Amino acid sequence: RLFGDAAIGVASFEPEGLLIGANESTLRWLGRTREEAIGRVTVANLSPSTELQRAVRRGLADTFEAELTLSAGGTLPAIVTTAPVFDQSGNYVLNRIWLQDMTAQRTAQERLRASEAAMARAQALTHFGHYEADLTHETASEDLRWSDEFFRILGLDRSRGPIPTAEFIETCVHPEDRQRFLSFVDACVAQNQGGTVEYRIVTPQGEIRHLRDVSEFQPAGAHTAGRFFGVVQDITELSD
């Protein structure tokens, strides 16, 4: 009963795939009593995962995601780690399976995706986009984020990713507004604070749009460039 009260599931299978040991967490997740499970459940009953079945059959050590089959119906998402055990002669005798319930993580991921989808819809309806931009002009930092709606407002391809600040000013900001935009950026940096600015952009399709940009400024650190966090609204219809 070394793993009887473990916070994760532990199960042992013979090379033929028959369950010969399981802790209480595994039995609870599967909705089976020990009598119903030991010597009766096979690895195929536990999960349809071909990776798991192959690891048990061949004595492989591996880690992967799999869906566990519940006796009451439905499945349980899990991270599975297989650890083969060999006797003194080197013969493969069993595979100990470690199971981590990923239900909470899966639920959190689904909620995050739903929240992001709702935010994207709201931004599209209100013509709001958000962005991060740093003052490393030559390249765009890999951790910068632009919302889908900001890409749409700019008329840029989402798959390309955020562009460097200098390129944004040169290719997106209207030529007549570039100096005013640069002056705004310089003032924010000098005062270590954000602000509000209105300017026009020109899309790759030649369309002129009026934007209102409200931002916060994060001063440069020892190893990071100064960075803007902003919300942009397309106010073209209000400006016409």
Side-chain angles (χ1 to χ4, degrees):
R1 294 184 55 81
L2 177 60
F3 304 107
D5 297 323
I8 63 175
V10 184
S12 298
F13 286 90
E14 293 178 335
E16 294 77 16
L18 189 66
L19 181 69
I20 58 175
N23 71 345
E24 296 302 323
S25 293
T26 302
L27 297 173
R28 182 174 65 254
W29 293 341
L30 299 180
R32 300 174 187 265
T33 66
R34 189 168 299 278
E35 291 72 22
E36 292 172 335
I38 304 302
R40 297 185 179 186
V41 169
T42 67
V43 66
N45 297 141
L46 177 68
S47 172
S49 169
T50 57
E51 288 182 281
L52 177 56
Q53 295 173 33
R54 181 171 61 252
V56 169
R57 185 171 63 252
R58 299 181 181 178
L60 304 177
D62 202 354
T63 299
F64 46 86
E65 295 184 12
E67 298 288 329
L68 307 185
T69 303
L70 306 181
S71 62
T75 60
L76 183 147
I79 296 293
V80 179
T81 298
T82 60
V85 177
F86 300 87
D87 63 19
Q88 293 181 344
S89 300
N91 299 311
Y92 170 48
V93 293
L94 64 88
N95 207 318
R96 181 163 290 129
I97 313 299
W98 305 80
L99 308 166
Q100 181 180 355
D101 181 3
M102 298 296 291
T103 302
Q105 292 87 337
R106 179 78 61 82
T107 300
Q109 291 172 354
E110 292 173 351
R111 288 176 177 172
L112 177 60
R113 284 194 291 268
S115 176
E116 290 175 341
M119 178 178 292
R121 289 195 297 272
Q123 289 187 352
L125 289 171
T126 58
H127 304 298
F128 274 98
H130 66 267
Y131 68 89
E132 298 176 27
D134 66 20
L135 297 181
T136 303
H137 294 286
E138 291 78 14
T139 60
S141 299
E142 294 182 357
D143 62 338
L144 296 184
R145 298 291 182 269
W146 287 9
S147 70
D148 289 347
E149 182 63 12
F150 189 46
F151 279 102
R152 190 202 65 77
I153 290 172
L154 298 178
L156 298 179
D157 183 359
R158 176 70 177 84
S159 63
R160 181 184 176 186
I163 61 176
T165 301
E167 183 178 348
F168 169 79
I169 296 171
E170 182 65 26
T171 63
C172 296
V173 178
H174 192 288
E176 296 179 2
D177 292 350
R178 284 175 193 160
Q179 187 55 54
R180 181 158 54 86
F181 185 85
L182 284 169
S183 297
F184 168 77
V185 171
D186 290 342
C188 289
V189 174
Q191 299 171 21
N192 279 337
Q193 65 180 25
T196 301
V197 63
E198 293 185 7
Y199 56 93
R200 292 167 293 174
I201 57 105
V202 182
T203 71
Q205 299 75 30
E207 181 181 356
I208 297 177
R209 294 176 179 169
H210 296 251
L211 308 185
R212 177 179 291 123
D213 188 325
V214 181
S215 64
E216 293 182 353
F217 178 68
Q218 176 180 297
H223 304 289
T224 59
R227 179 171 295 192
F228 283 92
F229 302 86
V231 175
V232 168
Q233 182 182 16
D234 183 352
I235 59 171
T236 304
E237 294 181 357
L238 301 177
S239 300
D240 292 341

